[in-house]
Amino acid sequence: MLVNGVPWRPVQLAGNGWAVTIIDQTKLPHAFETVDLTTVEEAAHAIRAMLVRGAPLIGATAAYGVALAMRADPSDDNLAAAIEMLRKTRPTAVNLFWALERMRAALHNRSVEERAGAAYAAAADLADEDAAMNEAIGEHGLEIIRGIAAKKPGETVNILTHCNAGWLATVDWGTALSPIYKAHDDGIDVHVWVDETRPRNQGASLTAWELGAHGVPLTVVVDNAGGHLMQHGQVDMVITGTDRTTRRGDVCNKIGTYLKALAAKDNGVPFYVALPGPTIDWQVADGVAEIPIEERHADEVGRISGRTESGEIVTIDVLPENAKAGNPAFDVTPARLVTGLITERGVAPATEEGLLSLYPEKNNG
Ligand SMILES: CSC[C@H]1O[C@H](OP(=O)(O)O)[C@H](O)[C@@H]1O
C-alpha cells in the first residue's frame, strides 16, 4: 500500500539486497519507523515483540528470517536451529508453521552453496503470493459488499471489523480490509466501525491509521460497543481476519471476535471472515479444543502507551498496584456463527464441504 505516496510492504528486502526492512508497528500511529533486520534472532524478536504481527505477515517475516540465517550459516544444523527458533515465537497463527515448512522443503535438498540465494527467492515468492491472494480476497469480498449496497441504494454500507487484518497484517492488501479497500476504490459508500481491540489496540492504532491513510471513512469504538451498534441497525456486516481456521470452519482470531460473532448472530448481521488458504489448518477440526491460544504478558493489560499533548510517547499503569491481569490473545468462533469464509479462491460456507469445494486437493477422503 502507499504511505504518503510511497509504496510500502510491512516486510521487504532492504536496499542493500540482503537485510530485511520491517515497519515497526509498535510505533504506529504516532510514528512511522522502520527497522532493518540483519539476523534470524532479530527476526524472531520482531515477531515475538509484535513489531510485525498478523498471521500472513508473521509467516512472511519468518521466511525472511530463515533467509537471514542461511546467509550467515547455510549448514543443516543452522537451518534446523533457525526454523526451531522461529517456530517458538508465537503459537497460534498457523501461517508461521506453514511458511517455515515451506522454507524447509525448499532448502533441505539444496547444496550449502545454493541455500542463501534459494532462501531469499523462496521468501520473496511467498511474500508475492500472499499479496496476490489478499488482492483476490478483496475481489471476492467486494461482491458481497456490492450486494449489500444494492439493497440500500444511496445509503452508506456500515462494516464493523475487529483488530487489524489490513495490509499491516499481511504482505499487502490485508484480508478483512482488502474487500473494504476494493469497495472504497470502486466508489461504494462504505464506513468502517473500528474496534479499538484491547489490550494492544491493533484497531485503534493500526486499522484506523491505515484506513485513514487510504481515505476510508471510519469511527473507532470501544470493543464493547459492537453489540449495541448491531442492535440499532448500524452494522450491515462484520468482517474479520483469522489466525487459524479449522477444516470445518471454526475461526481463531483476536480475543473478542467470538463475542462479536455472538452479537451478530443475535441481531441477524452477516459475519464474514477473510483468509488466504495458508491460514486453514487442515489437521484440526475442533478449534476450541485443539488450537493453542497464546497467553501474552499481563503488562499488555496493565499498561497502555500513548502520546502526550507535548508529543512525548509515554507508557502508564492503568491497574491498581498488584492487581492480577490475564491476557489470552485469541479466541475461537465456532463455524455455526460464521456466515461465510472469503478466500482467494472464492466465498464458501464455514463447513468442511464448503472449504473442500474451494480446495479439492485437500480432500484426503
Ligand atoms: C490477517 S491476520 C490478522 C490477525 O492477526 C491479529 O493478531 P495479532 O495482531 O496478535 O498478530 C488478529 O488476530 C488479526 O485478526
Side-chain angles (χ1 to χ4, degrees), residues 8-31:
W8 272 100
R9 286 180 164 184
V11 64
Q12 58 190 45
L13 210 53
N16 64 13
W18 67 267
V20 178
T21 300
I22 60 168
I23 297 172
D24 180 351
Q25 298 189 29
T26 66
K27 297 292 194 301
L28 289 171
H30 301 308

Side-chain angles (χ1 to χ4, degrees), residues 159-163 176-177 180 192-195 207 238-241:
I159 302 170
L160 183 142
T161 193
H162 190 69
C163 200
L177 299 191
I180 293 171
V192 183
W193 295 110
V194 176
D195 276 356
T207 297
V238 177
I239 184 168
T240 76

Side-chain angles (χ1 to χ4, degrees), residues 6-365:
V6 178
W8 272 100
R9 286 180 164 184
V11 64
Q12 58 190 45
L13 210 53
N16 64 13
W18 67 267
V20 178
T21 300
I22 60 168
I23 297 172
D24 180 351
Q25 298 189 29
T26 66
K27 297 292 194 301
L28 289 171
H30 301 308
F32 181 88
E33 295 181 11
T34 62
V35 174
D36 281 359
L37 308 176
T38 60
T39 65
V40 63
E41 289 81 2
E42 290 173 356
H45 169 73
I47 296 168
R48 195 167 35 245
M50 295 178 68
L51 279 70
V52 294
R53 30 64 51 201
L57 181 58
I58 290 171
T61 305
Y64 274 115
V66 173
L68 289 169
M70 291 299 94
R71 183 178 183 274
D73 169 1
S75 67
D76 288 352
D77 287 351
N78 198 44
L79 175 58
I83 288 172
E84 189 55 23
M85 177 190 299
L86 290 160
R87 280 183 62 87
K88 289 176 178 173
T89 52
R90 297 186 72 190
T92 304
V94 71
N95 311 60
L96 171 63
F97 309 106
W98 170 84
L100 290 171
E101 175 49 32
R102 175 153 158 173
M103 293 301 287
R104 190 199 59 76
L107 299 174
H108 80 288
N109 277 335
R110 304 298 288 259
S111 69
V112 289
E113 293 77 20
E114 295 173 317
R115 273 197 179 146
Y120 277 97
D125 289 348
L126 186 150
D128 289 343
E129 287 171 28
D130 181 67
M133 285 190 284
N134 297 333
E135 181 165 19
I137 288 169
E139 293 298 336
H140 294 303
L142 168 61
E143 293 314 309
I144 296 170
I145 297 173
R146 194 173 272 139
I148 293 172
K151 294 175 183 169
K152 52 187 303 189
E155 295 182 66
T156 300
V157 177
N158 291 300
I159 302 170
L160 183 142
T161 193
H162 190 69
C163 200
N164 173 257
W167 68 269
L168 286 171
T170 68
V171 172
D172 207 343
W173 285 100
T175 56
L177 299 191
S178 185
I180 293 171
Y181 287 127
K182 291 288 187 182
H184 174 78
D185 293 349
D186 196 46
I188 297 174
D189 178 5
V190 292
H191 162 264
V192 183
W193 295 110
V194 176
D195 276 356
E196 64 176 347
T197 315
R198 285 277 291 145
R200 290 189 65 108
N201 290 345
Q202 288 93 324
S205 300
L206 304 178
T207 297
W209 179 83
E210 68 167 90
L211 287 176
H214 199 79
V216 179
L218 65 101
T219 305
V220 178
V221 290
V222 297
D223 293 324
N224 296 323
H228 164 74
L229 294 170
M230 294 183 214
Q231 276 179 333
H232 289 267
Q234 294 180 272
V235 179
D236 296 304
M237 74 182 286
V238 177
I239 184 168
T240 76
T242 170
D243 298 81
R244 189 183 306 214
T245 291
T246 74
R247 69 169 187 268
R248 78 176 187 192
D250 291 348
V251 167
C252 182
N253 196 52
K254 183 53 54 193
I255 194 79
T257 304
Y258 172 42
L259 296 178
K260 288 296 154 15
L262 286 170
K265 192 73 171 183
D266 192 51
N267 290 281
V269 174
F271 185 92
Y272 283 95
V273 176
L275 71 157
T279 307
I280 302 168
D281 185 345
W282 297 95
Q283 309 309 313
V284 170
D286 182 343
V288 173
E290 300 179 69
I291 296 177
I293 300 298
E294 180 181 18
E295 181 75 25
R296 291 189 66 88
H297 200 284
D299 280 354
E300 293 185 353
V301 176
R303 294 178 179 166
I304 194 165
S305 297
R307 182 176 60 185
T308 66
E309 287 180 3
S310 62
E312 184 190 3
I313 302 297
V314 296
T315 298
I316 60 174
D317 291 327
V318 293
L319 297 182
E321 193 91 18
N322 302 320
K324 186 176 179 201
N327 189 13
F330 300 95
D331 60 24
V332 176
T333 298
R336 69 176 186 276
L337 298 176
V338 179
T339 306
L341 300 170
I342 307 170
T343 79
E344 74 282 6
R345 297 189 184 182
V347 182
T351 62
E352 184 159 2
E353 182 183 6
L355 283 173
L356 287 174
S357 70
L358 294 178
Y359 300 92
E361 73 273 20
K362 297 297 184 180
N363 190 349
N364 300 320

